């Protein structure tokens, strides 16, 4: 913006009224009586009073107010007051910014958090929004500075009693992340954080986090047959046209160990039926995940490809998007088979079977797409997708034998085998 310098004048009401509007940019007229005091006029004709002063080694420009809402005398008095503050070591710029930011609400911070964290996965963003709208609905309009440790502790206990201990911990981990973001994001003019402490630290200081054992459930070998039969009984009908798609989705998770969203959002662009491979690009560890297709998976995906109606492998019957709600059909399988399971149980089952078949540890890690950044040896091992083909087929064959889709074989209870190894 063009800035026009005008000779200093004594700033009075009559002088401000007579000021000419610059054709472009803005013009500054500095006062001859009070150093740093000035009036600014823009090409739109807007007039405002400012104060320029060196603060903490840098010249700062403070806007006092617009004319005529603020009179010349009022502006001059405000300038005198601020100069007095600066003389005693105060920083009006920092104070003004701090005052504005102290009113930042939890919702405003969350909105800024989402804008800044551009790479949040769709599922993660969905979970965060759900926690905001359900768990912290009554806190959304609260200034963050007013949310204290006692409030956090009481809310943690309330969530634990009403929604479960795991969900209480999850909600507070989210709140902790939001406060950490705000501490780093909102600083006053001196670069000091507006928030001095994360109130969620109370849970750590008092050791109040719930001890939630990591879930270790899998579908045991002897349970695969009834589970498989119930899955294969999912057939489309006039009421539900997505059953067979959900059936194939659950089977793919079991036979690949992919995570919930990685499998659900898979597109045909990442499936190579000719090379018999699939690729997952939007992974938890941000590394592309390439897997070979076993014979069973190849047949499953080939059949789906013949009926494809959009870019997604597991498309909705409506033709838009992919299936994201599987609970109703999972409940049907659980009721029919008597085998309770979650989608992540299918991933655990895949990896437990892989380990039980004495597949090399590095191959298991590659199949799971686990990072091996702390393993020096792993850094020297290049695992091509073709080297995973035999282990992949071996896992598939075992699952199908247990499910009765191959000639009978002696089936070891993996849970017992694991207990012997760890005892």
């Amino acid at each position: 913006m063009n800035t026009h310098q005008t000779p200093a004048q004594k700033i009075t009401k009559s002088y401000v009224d007579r000021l000419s509007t610059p054709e472009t940019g803005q013009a500054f007229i500095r006062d001859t009586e009070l150093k740093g005091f000035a009036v600014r006029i823009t090409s739109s004709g807007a007039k405002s009073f400012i104060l320029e002063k060196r603060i903490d080694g840098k010249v700062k420009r403070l806007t006092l107010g617009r004319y005529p809402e603020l009179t010349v005398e009022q502006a001059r008095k405000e300038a005198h007051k601020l100069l007095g503050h600066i003389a005693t070591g105060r920083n009006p710029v920092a104070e003004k910014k701090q005052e504005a930011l102290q009113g930042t609400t939890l919702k405003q911070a969350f909105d800024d958090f989402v804008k800044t964290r551009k790479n949040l996965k769709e599922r993660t963003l969905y979970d965060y929004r759900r926690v905001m709208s359900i768990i912290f609905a009554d806190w959304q309009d609260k200034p963050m500075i007013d949310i204290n440790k006692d409030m956090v502790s009481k809310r943690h206990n309330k969530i634990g009693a009403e929604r479960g201990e795991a969900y209480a911990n999850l909600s507070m981990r989210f709140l902790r992340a939001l406060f950490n973001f705000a501490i780093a994001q909102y600083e006053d003019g001196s670069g000091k954080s507006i928030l001095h402490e994360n109130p969620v630290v109370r849970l750590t200081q008092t050791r109040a986090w719930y001890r939630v054992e990591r879930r270790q459930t899998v579908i045991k070998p002897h349970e695969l047959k009834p589970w498989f039969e119930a899955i294969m009984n999912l057939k489309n009908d006039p009421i539900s046209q997505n059953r067979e798609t959900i059936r194939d989705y659950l089977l793919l998770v079991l036979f690949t160990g992919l995570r919930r969203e990685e499998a659900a959002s898979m597109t045909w662009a990442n499936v190579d039926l000719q090379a018999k491979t699939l690729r997952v690009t939007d992974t938890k560890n941000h590394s592309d995940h390439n897997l070979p297709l076993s014979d069973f998976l190849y047949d499953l995906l080939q059949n789906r490809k013949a009926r494809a109606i959009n870019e997604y492998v597991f498309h909705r019957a409506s033709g838009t998007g992919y299936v994201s709600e599987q609970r109703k059909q999972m409940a049907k399988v659980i009721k029919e088979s008597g085998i309770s399971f979650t989608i992540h149980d299918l991933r655990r089952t895949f990896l437990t079977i892989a380990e039980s078949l004495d597949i090399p540890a590095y191959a298991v890690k590659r199949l799971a797409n686990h990072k091996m950044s702390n393993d020096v040896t792993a850094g020297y091992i290049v695992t091509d997708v073709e080297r995973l083909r035999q282990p992949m087929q071996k896992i598939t064959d075992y699952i199908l034998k247990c499910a009765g889709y191959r000639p009978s074989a002696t089936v070891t209870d993996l849970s017992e085998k694991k207990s012997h190894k760890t005892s």
Side-chain angles (χ1 to χ4, degrees):
M1 180 179 287
N2 295 330
T3 300
H4 307 282
Q5 300 297 332
T6 303
Q9 299 282 341
K10 180 180 179 180
I11 297 175
T12 63
K13 180 180 183 306
S14 60
Y15 179 77
V16 173
D17 288 336
R18 295 196 309 269
L19 274 176
S20 300
T21 301
E23 292 184 7
T24 60
Q26 57 187 356
F28 288 89
I29 302 90
R30 289 165 175 81
D31 188 50
T32 54
E33 294 191 351
L34 182 60
K35 187 177 180 180
F37 181 52
V39 62
R40 173 175 55 199
I41 181 168
T42 67
S43 58
S44 65
K47 301 171 184 177
S48 58
F49 299 106
I50 64 165
L51 176 66
E52 292 176 321
K53 186 66 178 176
R54 186 175 292 275
I55 303 173
D56 295 335
K58 294 182 180 180
V59 175
K60 301 289 185 180
R61 181 177 293 163
L62 293 76
T63 300
L64 305 175
R66 291 179 63 125
Y67 180 81
E69 288 86 354
L70 191 70
T71 67
V72 173
E73 287 308 310
Q74 288 171 333
R76 195 179 292 277
K77 285 182 181 179
E78 181 65 17
H80 270 294
K81 183 177 76 172
L82 291 176
L83 287 170
H85 291 171
I86 294 168
T88 58
R90 289 171 60 180
N91 186 336
V93 176
E95 290 174 3
K96 186 176 181 180
K97 188 174 181 181
Q98 181 172 358
E99 185 180 345
L101 289 176
Q102 280 181 334
T104 302
T105 64
L106 192 68
K107 185 180 185 307
Q108 289 171 330
F110 177 66
D111 291 341
D112 289 341
F113 176 81
V114 171
K115 289 176 187 174
T116 304
R117 297 282 298 275
K118 300 178 183 67
N119 295 323
L120 284 175
K121 295 185 182 298
E122 186 177 330
R123 180 69 197 190
T124 302
L125 193 53
Y126 170 83
D127 290 339
Y128 284 170
R129 284 179 171 147
R130 185 173 173 81
V131 170
M132 279 291 290
S133 63
I134 296 176
I135 302 302
F136 300 120
D138 56 331
W139 286 8
Q140 291 204 39
D141 295 326
K142 275 187 182 299
M144 293 190 78
I145 202 166
D146 291 343
I147 299 174
N148 58 45
K149 293 180 181 179
D150 285 340
M151 292 167 64
V152 166
S153 183
K154 290 176 182 176
R155 182 57 55 95
H156 184 235
N157 290 334
K158 184 173 186 288
I159 304 167
E162 295 178 357
R163 293 181 173 271
E165 296 178 351
Y167 200 69
N169 283 354
L170 176 70
S171 300
M172 287 303 162
R173 281 196 295 270
F174 160 72
L175 188 66
R176 180 175 62 189
L178 196 52
F179 265 94
N180 284 338
F181 166 80
I183 289 169
Q185 182 76 7
Y186 305 129
E187 298 176 342
D188 63 21
S190 300
K192 296 178 181 178
S193 178
I194 302 300
L195 297 165
H196 303 299
E197 189 176 33
N198 191 324
V200 185
V201 74
R202 168 66 63 83
L203 302 181
T204 301
Q205 292 171 337
T206 60
R207 298 185 179 181
W209 292 99
Y210 292 113
R211 291 180 59 86
V212 180
E213 295 298 326
R214 185 170 180 174
R215 189 182 174 105
Q216 296 294 331
T217 51
V218 298
I219 299 178
K220 299 179 179 65
H222 69 272
E223 296 175 330
L224 280 168
K225 188 173 180 9
W227 183 88
F228 214 89
E229 289 173 350
I231 281 285
M232 299 307 286
N233 283 338
L234 288 179
K235 303 290 185 184
N236 289 345
D237 62 22
I239 297 175
S240 177
Q241 293 292 308
N242 287 320
R243 284 182 180 174
E244 292 175 14
T245 297
I246 293 171
R247 173 199 67 197
D248 292 348
Y249 162 72
L250 295 173
L251 287 171
L252 183 109
V253 174
L254 175 65
F255 282 90
T256 61
L258 291 181
R259 294 180 176 88
R260 172 201 297 265
E261 195 65 18
E262 292 173 349
S265 61
M266 185 180 299
T267 63
W268 286 113
N270 288 332
V271 176
D272 189 337
L273 290 174
Q274 188 172 354
K276 291 188 175 182
T277 61
L278 62 81
R279 182 174 77 255
V280 184
T281 55
D282 190 18
T283 65
K284 184 176 181 180
N285 67 13
H286 306 293
S287 298
D288 284 1
H289 186 29
N290 296 292
L291 285 175
L293 298 177
S294 62
D295 293 345
F296 178 82
L297 287 175
Y298 173 76
D299 291 341
L300 182 148
L301 290 174
Q302 194 173 46
N303 288 333
R304 290 208 61 78
K305 181 64 174 177
R307 294 173 287 151
I309 59 175
N310 69 12
E311 63 182 306
Y312 294 106
V313 175
F314 302 108
H315 59 77
R316 288 196 185 99
S318 63
T320 59
Y322 57 86
V323 290
S324 57
E325 181 50 67
Q326 304 92 18
R327 284 179 296 182
K328 187 179 293 185
Q329 303 310 322
M330 287 173 62
K332 183 177 174 65
V333 173
I334 291 170
K335 182 178 180 181
E336 186 174 326
S337 66
I339 311 299
S340 181
F341 73 99
T342 67
I343 291 176
H344 204 70
D345 287 344
L346 303 182
R347 175 175 167 82
R348 268 191 292 268
T349 299
F350 172 84
L351 295 175
T352 302
I353 290 173
E355 194 277 336
S356 76
L357 296 174
D358 295 325
I359 291 171
Y362 292 118
V364 174
K365 282 181 176 289
R366 293 292 185 186
L367 288 168
N369 198 29
H370 284 161
K371 278 193 172 181
M372 297 186 280
S373 54
N374 295 326
D375 191 323
V376 177
T377 306
Y380 290 92
I381 298 175
V382 178
T383 308
D384 182 76
V385 67
E386 290 304 317
R387 294 186 65 181
L388 297 177
R389 193 171 296 280
Q390 186 177 354
M392 194 73 159
Q393 189 64 49
K394 192 174 183 180
I395 296 167
T396 294
D397 290 344
Y398 184 89
I399 294 173
L400 292 175
K401 285 177 184 178
C402 294
Y405 273 66
R406 287 289 188 273
S408 61
T410 302
V411 175
T412 304
D413 189 324
L414 301 183
S415 60
E416 291 181 5
K417 183 169 182 179
K418 291 287 273 187
S419 65
H420 288 315
K421 282 192 173 187
T422 55
S423 62

